[in-house]
């Protein structure tokens, strides 16, 4: 019986260390034929892949007509869920679970930065100014609204509860409220959450439903002086409306790990606002992320080999 072909799509954003790739290959060498492709210039190496691990380009997708399963290295799947070159039968899985802990700690870092006035202190440090920050905020007792209670949002909620915050969440399905949130709301009740929250954490994926969701009207529902944290997708936020709310003092500050265009253009007004922190899509970085990602890939290859359900299957209609 011929071995099924599995492709590692290697690029500057996804390149497991040789040791991790070899470990994966060694476990499955009896059932899978592994091919490594680095860019569109190596399309000739593809025979008829069943599985692709990585972010395939359009040219790659065109030469893989019999692809059955696409394993993404990211939690987000918005670019591929409705991709016209991916047949309906192709199963897409994402890397949800790999970035939960680092994502939660990143959220906490941004919240703490604004709670203790670190953007102000950093600016003063550069100018050699010794001046206490007179408007600190305590996380204990503060209300934190988490919009999107997936892996990252849930991990953040657990840690925020340990800080003594009142945590309220928004997600599509409101049944079975988890213990780590104090209240749970549906997407249609989001404005209520925004009006109650001292910190709003957006962890939503990019879908047709969430595109531009945080516009001027939505941002105006937030408490005056509240802080907005976006670690979901930049396309969910109207950046002009956000910049205006930050400039006129309607919002106390914003922590952005993602932006509409990445890298954020040097001409963007967001760079120059004093009450903003931009962290350049760094949420997923951690010392263990590649080991966790390799373990997830191995687990799913094992399930694929054994005919068991794959982990982290993306609902292609919803986009996540």
């Amino acid at each position: 019986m011929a071995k099924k072909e599995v492709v590692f799509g290697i690029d500057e954003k996804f390149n497991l260390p040789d040791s991790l790739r070899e470990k994966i290959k060694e476990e499955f060498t009896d059932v899978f034929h592994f091919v490594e492709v680095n860019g569109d210039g190596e399309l000739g190496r593809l025979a008829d892949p069943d599985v692709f691990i990585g972010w395939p380009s359009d040219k790659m997708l065109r030469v893989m007509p019999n692809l059955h399963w696409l394993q993404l290295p990211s939690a987000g799947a918005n670019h591929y869920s409705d991709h016209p070159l991916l047949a309906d039968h192709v199963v897409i899985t994402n890397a949800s679970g790999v970035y939960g802990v680092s994502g939660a700690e990143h959220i906490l870092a941004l919240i703490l930065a604004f709670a203790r006035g670190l953007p102000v202190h950093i600016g003063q440090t550069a100018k050699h100014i010794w001046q206490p920050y007179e408007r600190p905020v305590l996380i204990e007792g503060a209300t934190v609204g988490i919009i999107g209670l997936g892996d990252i949002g849930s991990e953040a909620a657990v840690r925020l509860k340990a800080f003594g915050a009142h945590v309220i969440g928004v997600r599509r399905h409101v049944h079975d409220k988890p213990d780590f949130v104090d209240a749970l709301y549906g997407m249609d009740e989001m404005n209520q959450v925004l009006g109650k929250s001292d910190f709003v954490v957006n962890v939503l994926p990019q879908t047709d439903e969430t595109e531009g969701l945080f516009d001027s009207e939505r941002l105006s529902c937030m408490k005056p002086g509240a802080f907005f944290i976006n670690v979901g997708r930049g396309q969910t936020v109207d950046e002009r409306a956000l910049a205006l709310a930050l400039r006129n003092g309607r919002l106390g500050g914003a922590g952005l790990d993602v932006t509409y265009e990445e890298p954020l253009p040097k001409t963007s007004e967001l760079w120059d606002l004093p009450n903003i922190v931009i962290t350049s899509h760094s949420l997923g970085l951690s010392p263990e992320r590649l080991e966790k990602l390799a373990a997830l890939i191995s687990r799913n290859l094992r399930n694929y080999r054994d005919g068991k359900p794959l982990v982290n299957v993306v609902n292609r209609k919803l986009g996540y």
Side-chain angles (χ1 to χ4, degrees), residues 42-65:
E42 298 185 350
L43 297 182
R45 301 188 63 189
L46 301 179
D48 193 10
D50 290 85
V51 180
F52 192 97
I53 301 169
W55 292 290
S57 66
D58 287 359
K59 289 183 178 180
M60 291 177 182
L61 290 175
R62 287 191 178 96
V63 298
M64 298 188 294

Side-chain angles (χ1 to χ4, degrees), residues 171-200:
R171 70 181 183 191
R172 180 181 293 273
H173 303 294
V174 296
H175 60 278
D176 299 329
K177 180 186 76 66
D179 294 336
F180 50 77
V181 297
D182 296 289
L184 190 60
Y185 296 80
M187 291 289 288
D188 59 341
E189 302 172 296
M190 185 187 303
N191 289 352
Q192 296 181 46
V193 174
L194 298 181
K196 297 177 180 180
S197 300
D198 300 293
F199 295 90
V200 172

Side-chain angles (χ1 to χ4, degrees), residues 12 14 39 55 58 93 102 157 161 184 187 232 277-278 299 307 309 313:
E12 60 181 14
F14 174 60
W55 292 290
D58 287 359
T93 55
S102 63
K161 285 295 293 178
L184 190 60
M187 291 289 288
V277 175
I278 297 172
R299 180 182 177 186
V313 174

Side-chain angles (χ1 to χ4, degrees), residues 189-265:
E189 302 172 296
M190 185 187 303
N191 289 352
Q192 296 181 46
V193 174
L194 298 181
K196 297 177 180 180
S197 300
D198 300 293
F199 295 90
V200 172
V201 181
N202 173 33
V203 205
L204 291 174
Q206 181 191 350
T207 66
D208 290 341
E209 181 183 8
T210 64
E211 178 88 22
L213 184 66
F214 290 93
D215 54 13
S216 58
E217 181 179 353
R218 188 83 61 181
L219 293 172
S220 71
C221 294
M222 291 179 59
K223 289 176 66 173
F227 299 92
F228 180 73
I229 309 295
N230 186 18
V231 296
R233 284 293 179 266
Q235 290 77 9
T236 63
V237 178
D238 180 338
E239 291 179 349
R240 288 187 178 180
L242 176 62
L244 177 61
L246 291 168
R247 279 201 311 271
N248 63 23
R250 181 68 178 73
L251 297 182
L256 306 181
D257 190 55
V258 292
T259 54
Y260 194 94
E261 184 180 348
E262 295 184 3
L264 182 66

Side-chain angles (χ1 to χ4, degrees), residues 3 58 74 98 123 145 157 178 207:
K3 296 180 181 180
D58 287 359
S74 57
V98 170
T207 66

Side-chain angles (χ1 to χ4, degrees), residues 14-33:
F14 174 60
N15 187 5
L16 289 177
D18 292 344
S19 59
L20 292 177
R21 288 204 309 275
E22 291 306 316
K23 184 177 179 181
I24 293 172
K25 293 178 185 178
E26 184 178 348
E27 179 179 356
F28 301 101
T29 186
D30 293 339
V31 288
F32 297 132
H33 170 62

Side-chain angles (χ1 to χ4, degrees), residues 137-172:
V137 177
L138 288 179
I139 297 178
E140 183 178 42
T143 297
V144 181
I146 300 180
I147 317 300
L149 275 178
D151 175 46
I152 295 172
S154 296
E155 292 284 359
V158 170
R159 288 155 178 78
L160 286 162
K161 285 295 293 178
F163 270 81
H166 179 73
V167 181
I168 52 181
V170 173
R171 70 181 183 191
R172 180 181 293 273

